[in-house]
Amino acid sequence: MHQIGMKTTDFNTDALETKLVERFGTETPFTTPDGYFKELPSRVMNRIAQRRRRRMIWRWAVAAMFVGCMWTGGMFLGHTENDTIAESVDIQYIEEALNYSMIDNMSIASYLTEVE
């Protein structure tokens, strides 16, 4: 296996370091802004806190949507069951009242179809 301009038998860290120093010198070409490392811990902690807040907001939003869906579904199903029960009770009451009043079906039909 060959690396750039070197044989695998020539791989020696001291020799490599010497070649790098000869080629690029000892000056570091990279710079950082003034105070970068002093501000770095506080910047990292602020970002972590922001991410925690965002995660917390998302968790609360998901929980609220879940509760809203459950409440809506419960209201829909609850009303449907209650309406069915109330309707069956009303029909039973009406049938008992009609039987008790001894009114025949023809009288009821004519009463319901009368135009005022």
Side-chain angles (χ1 to χ4, degrees):
M1 174 188 223
H2 293 320
Q3 293 185 1
I4 301 173
M6 294 178 48
K7 296 179 184 177
T8 55
T9 55
D10 291 340
F11 190 73
N12 182 349
T13 55
D14 293 332
L16 180 61
E17 185 177 350
T18 306
K19 287 181 183 182
L20 289 173
V21 168
E22 287 173 3
R23 185 167 181 183
F24 298 107
T26 57
E27 258 185 60
T28 305
F30 306 107
T31 59
T32 58
D34 293 335
Y36 177 79
F37 289 105
K38 287 181 183 177
E39 296 172 6
L40 184 63
S42 63
R43 288 180 31 212
V44 169
M45 294 306 288
N46 286 338
R47 284 192 180 177
I48 290 172
Q50 287 174 354
R51 287 184 180 167
R52 283 184 183 167
R53 276 187 238 126
R54 281 190 214 132
R55 265 192 242 143
M56 187 61 71
I57 289 170
W58 274 107
R59 286 179 184 168
W60 279 105
V62 168
M65 286 187 294
F66 180 73
V67 168
C69 289
M70 295 297 292
W71 182 76
T72 303
M75 292 297 292
F76 177 72
L77 292 175
H79 282 298
T80 303
E81 290 174 6
N82 290 341
D83 292 345
T84 305
I85 292 169
E87 185 177 319
S88 66
V89 169
D90 288 343
I91 290 171
Q92 184 179 4
Y93 174 76
I94 291 170
E95 287 176 355
E96 288 176 3
L98 288 174
N99 286 336
Y100 182 73
S101 67
M102 295 183 193
I103 301 174
D104 64 339
N105 289 339
M106 288 303 288
S107 299
I108 294 171
S110 67
Y111 176 76
L112 291 175
T113 57
E114 283 181 8
V115 178
E116 292 184 8

